[in-house]
């Protein structure tokens, strides 16, 4: 017989715990009632019925009370709980049968007072014990039925006057008690279920608040909580503590080309792989997007950190197969190590993030550890940030121009416009430093339009054969509103549109390839030319050349500086020149600083060359004089 087969585990445990509190009350009440029964029946029936039988039941009650005492603090399994409740139900029902039989048997042997006592005794038993132990469910109702039935049987056996009225009175209270029992048990079960659901929701909300839904790794919030805790522990052990941030290289094209669903699957796989890298030493987190973080106890020589960074890249760089597609990603990492423990989680994160920013600018796929050198650079960038926020860009920023030479005609064919900033507070700032800051501050569009406007004013004074090369930032390339404004400015200038060459970098393309391609199309529809700058140093260069409407490639200066001695650089330059020739595109070699480099490039078939050998970037006031001197020099 199973009374609790379909009852949920939560309700069973709650009923069991509730009964643990009610059992001693029920047992104490039963033992007390048996003692009174012994006194009442002692003079009316044989001692074996009045003394011995109740005494045995009292001993059983004491035994149960002791059992309860020894097991009151247990946390039994749900299997044990179910078993104990089943046994208690059976004992309860057997006790009801025994009391029913005993009352019916003793009734004829007692006097009038004994009759009333037995009726009153069984009615109270039926009401009180059934209600106290109502958490036993069906057993409580069965016990109640047995006790009330025995009381009513005794009433009719005693030939009481108005027996039906006594029975009706008992039945009225019986119905009321049964309704109350049922309502109480139902409300108890509903309360338990509601509490369990609430706790489950709270637990789920807590999990969601601390766990990344996609990768199942702990999230950004949990990262800062754990780092603070680990810093406290590190203080107690005088150990060095490291925080690292890693960012997936070239992940955005995965989303752009294959869709966000595939991108999410890649992130899930990366999360799984990270979780398997020394789980006993390192804990990983997803901060958002394709950015992850980790922390570990390390040594002041950074050996363990460097080894773990190597293992991270080894794990991540293994090909990822998704829906028949094979993709490979790598990670750039920035880290900060603290050994004196006088740092907060936020400070460690900011320093590691700056190290990541540095490594992504200087060489992806590596680990950069925050150092005094980076600290100076970070402070400098902060000064640039503050100075740029308050700068008067119309007076402090200006364009300079560097010539591009056509070696076939020995003439200047174009000038590249380059932005310069002379801050009254911190002096001259390199574009490589202030352009990223301007992008982060949302100022780059204003700077771009200002530099373009001033470049066009100067361009209007040039011979009509000279072109203007103008650099667009990553923000500009992916912002259609900016592109349309530049086209409008170009068209209103009355200058021939084919004299404009807009230079973009592959880094800009990685921001949003599809939007960049659409905007490049708008520029070419307006009659302007488009060049891909720093070619050969980015990612997926050939696919970009194939899929973009380009007019020109610019060979990065890193391949020119050692072209006379480095066979690899020579091979790359020859390949780019052959590519441009095959695709009917112009090719410009940047960074030529010596005559031998120029002659070497010329011998390889490079027609357009730019570099310090010919001229450094110059202000607009020097252009006319330079053009006159260059014409004479090149002619000779």
């Amino acid at each position: 017989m199973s009374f609790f087969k379909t009852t949920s585990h939560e309700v069973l445990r709650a009923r069991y715990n509730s009964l643990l509190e009610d059992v001693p009350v029920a047992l104490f009440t039963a033992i007390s009632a048996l003692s009174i029964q012994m006194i009442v029946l002692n003079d009316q029936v044989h001692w074996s019925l009045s003394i011995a039988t109740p005494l045995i039941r009292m001993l059983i009650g004491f035994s149960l009370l002791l059992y309860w005492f020894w097991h009151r603090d247990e946390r039994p399994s749900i299997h044990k709980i179910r078993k104990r409740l089943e046994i208690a139900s059976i004992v309860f029902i057997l006790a009801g049968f025994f009391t029913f039989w005993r009352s019916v048997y003793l009734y004829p042997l007692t006097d009038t007072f004994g009759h009333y006592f037995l009726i009153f005794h069984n009615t109270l038993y039926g009401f009180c014990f059934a209600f106290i132990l109502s958490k036993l469910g069906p057993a409580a109702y069965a016990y109640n039925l047995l006790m009330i039935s025995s009381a009513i049987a005794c009433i009719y056996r005693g030939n009481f006057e108005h027996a039906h009225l006594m029975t009706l009175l008992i039945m009225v209270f019986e119905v009321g008690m049964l309704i109350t029992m049922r309502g109480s048990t139902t409300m108890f079960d509903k309360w338990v279920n509601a509490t369990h659901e609430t706790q489950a929701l709270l637990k789920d909300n807590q999990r969601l608040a601390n766990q990344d839904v996609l990768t199942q790794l702990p999230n950004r919030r949990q990262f800062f909580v754990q780092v603070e805790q680990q810093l406290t522990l590190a203080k107690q052990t005088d150990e060095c503590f490291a925080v690292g941030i890693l960012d997936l290289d070239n992940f955005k094209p995965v989303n752009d080309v294959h869709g966000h669903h595939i991108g999410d699957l890649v992130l899930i796989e990366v999360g799984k792989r990270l979780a398997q890298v020394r789980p006993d030493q390192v804990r990983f987190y997803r901060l958002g997007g394709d950015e992850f973080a980790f922390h570990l106890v390390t040594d002041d020589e950074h050996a363990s950190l460097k080894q773990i960074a190597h293992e991270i890249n080894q794990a991540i760089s293994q090909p990822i197969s998704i829906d028949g597609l094979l993709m490979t990603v790598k990670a750039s990492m920035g880290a900060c190590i603290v050994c004196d423990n006088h740092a907060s989680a936020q400070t460690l994160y900011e320093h590691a993030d700056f190290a990541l920013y540095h490594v992504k600018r200087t060489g992806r796929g590596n680990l950069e550890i925050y150092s005094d050198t980076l600290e100076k650079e970070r402070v400098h960038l902060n000064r640039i940030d503050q100075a740029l926020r308050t700068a008067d860009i119309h007076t402090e920023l200006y364009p300079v121009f560097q010539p591009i030479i056509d070696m076939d005609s020995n003439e200047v064919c174009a000038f590249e416009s380059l932005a310069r900033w002379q801050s009254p507070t911190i002096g001259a700032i390199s574009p490589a430093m202030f352009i990223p800051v301007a992008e982060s501050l949302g100022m780059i569009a204003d700077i771009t339009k200002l530099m373009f406007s001033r470049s066009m004013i100067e361009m209007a004074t040039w011979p009509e054969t000279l072109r203007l090369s103008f650099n667009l930032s990553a923000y500009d390339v992916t912002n259609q509103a900016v592109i349309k404004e530049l086209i409008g400015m170009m068209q209103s200038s009355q200058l021939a549109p084919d004299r404009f060459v807009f230079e973009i970098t592959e880094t800009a393309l990685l921001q949003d390839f599809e939007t960049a391609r659409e905007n490049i199309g708008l520029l070419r529809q307006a009659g302007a030319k488009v060049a891909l700058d720093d070619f050969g140093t980015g990612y997926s260069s050939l696919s970009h050349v194939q899929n973009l409407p380009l007019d020109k490639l610019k060979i990065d200066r890193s391949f020119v500086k050692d072209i006379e001695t480095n066979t690899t650089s020579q091979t790359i330059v020859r390949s780019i020149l052959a590519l441009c020739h095959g695709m009917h595109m112009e090719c410009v070699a940047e960074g030529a600083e010596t005559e031998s480099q120029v002659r070497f490039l010329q011998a390889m078939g490079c027609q357009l060359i730019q570099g310090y050998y010919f001229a450094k970037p110059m202000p607009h006031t020097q252009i006319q004089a330079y053009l006159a001197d260059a014409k004479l020099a090149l002619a000779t």
Side-chain angles (χ1 to χ4, degrees), residues 79-129:
H79 174 73
K80 281 189 176 181
I81 287 176
R82 195 184 299 275
K83 186 175 180 180
R84 288 179 183 178
L85 290 176
E86 298 285 1
I87 292 173
S89 297
I90 293 171
V91 170
F92 198 26
I93 292 173
L94 290 176
F97 275 113
F98 182 79
T99 304
F100 180 92
W101 169 82
R102 187 167 180 273
S103 299
V104 174
Y105 180 81
L106 289 177
Y107 191 82
L109 304 177
T110 57
D111 57 15
T112 302
F113 175 72
H115 292 169
Y116 280 110
F117 178 82
L118 289 174
I119 294 169
F120 189 64
H121 172 274
N122 289 356
T123 302
L124 288 178
Y125 259 54
F127 287 163
C128 296
F129 286 108

Side-chain angles (χ1 to χ4, degrees), residues 215-463:
T215 63
Q216 304 304 307
L217 291 173
N219 62 10
R220 185 185 191 92
R221 177 179 178 275
Q222 188 66 6
F223 167 72
F224 284 101
V225 171
Q226 290 298 318
V227 169
E228 287 289 2
Q229 292 179 1
Q230 294 301 317
L231 278 173
T232 302
L233 293 175
K235 288 179 183 178
Q236 300 171 1
T237 57
D238 294 327
E239 293 177 306
C240 293
F241 183 72
V243 164
I245 303 175
L246 66 92
D247 186 270
L248 300 183
D249 296 332
N250 202 28
F251 175 73
K252 195 173 188 306
V254 174
N255 280 335
D256 293 341
V257 176
H258 303 293
H260 288 277
H261 172 66
I262 297 297
D264 287 347
L265 294 178
V266 170
L267 290 174
I268 292 170
E269 179 61 25
V270 169
K272 289 179 181 177
R273 294 183 182 186
L274 289 175
Q276 294 172 0
V277 176
R278 301 204 189 188
D280 55 330
Q281 297 181 35
V282 191
R283 190 172 186 188
F284 291 91
Y285 306 78
R286 185 186 177 212
L287 301 183
D290 61 339
E291 191 174 67
F292 297 81
F294 60 92
H295 60 73
L296 69 152
V297 173
T298 184
D299 56 286
D300 54 4
E301 297 295 328
H302 316 331
S304 58
L305 173 61
K306 291 177 180 177
Q307 178 59 33
I308 286 172
H310 174 72
E311 292 179 18
I312 288 172
N313 248 333
Q314 285 284 97
I316 292 177
S317 62
Q318 298 301 313
I320 299 173
S321 178
I322 298 175
D323 293 345
L325 300 172
L326 201 61
M327 284 163 286
T328 302
V329 295
K330 292 186 178 181
S332 296
M333 284 170 273
C336 180
I337 299 176
V338 60
C339 294
D340 56 11
N341 299 305
H342 297 304
S344 66
Q346 185 64 35
T347 300
L348 286 176
Y349 168 77
E350 290 175 357
H351 289 178
D353 190 50
F354 188 79
L356 174 64
Y357 164 79
H358 183 270
V359 76
K360 289 184 79 71
R361 284 194 302 127
T362 57
R364 294 167 179 256
N366 299 314
L367 167 70
E368 184 74 36
I369 299 175
Y370 195 76
S371 60
D372 291 340
T373 302
L374 288 187
E375 170 66 14
K376 292 176 182 177
E377 183 178 335
R378 186 180 69 87
V379 171
H380 185 54
L381 278 176
N382 284 340
R383 291 181 64 200
I384 292 174
D385 181 280
Q386 294 303 313
L388 194 56
R389 289 173 187 271
T390 58
D392 181 356
I393 62 173
H394 291 274
T395 58
E396 297 178 26
L397 273 73
Y398 57 92
V400 293
F401 303 89
Q402 186 176 32
I404 300 173
I405 309 300
D406 184 336
M407 300 306 295
D408 288 352
S409 63
N410 283 332
E411 293 182 349
V412 177
C413 65
F415 281 96
E416 180 180 359
S417 175
L418 301 165
R420 292 294 184 264
W421 177 28
Q422 184 69 35
S423 169
T425 56
I426 55 179
I429 310 299
S430 165
M433 299 294 286
F434 76 77
I435 292 298
V437 176
E439 287 183 320
S440 67
L441 293 177
M443 298 175 61
I444 191 63
D446 293 333
I447 292 175
T448 296
K449 288 180 282 187
L450 175 64
M451 292 300 102
F452 189 59
S453 174
R454 291 187 175 177
S455 297
M456 285 194 302
I457 293 173
E458 176 57 28
M459 181 183 175
T461 67
W462 302 345

Side-chain angles (χ1 to χ4, degrees), residues 100 103-104 107 115 118-120 122-123 127 144-160 163-172 174:
F100 180 92
S103 299
V104 174
Y107 191 82
H115 292 169
L118 289 174
I119 294 169
F120 189 64
N122 289 356
T123 302
F127 287 163
N144 169 264
L145 178 63
L146 289 168
M147 292 298 96
I148 298 303
S149 298
S150 66
I152 293 173
C154 290
I155 289 174
Y156 280 99
R157 287 195 65 182
N159 295 319
F160 288 103
H164 62 286
L165 292 178
M166 295 176 65
T167 301
L168 181 61
L169 181 63
I170 292 174
M171 290 306 298
V172 167
E174 169 71 357

Side-chain angles (χ1 to χ4, degrees), residues 39-40 99 185 357 417 465 503 509 542 547 583:
I39 296 171
V40 171
T99 304
T185 304
Y357 164 79
S417 175
T465 56
E503 296 188 13
L509 297 177
L542 292 178
N547 292 302
M583 299 186 70

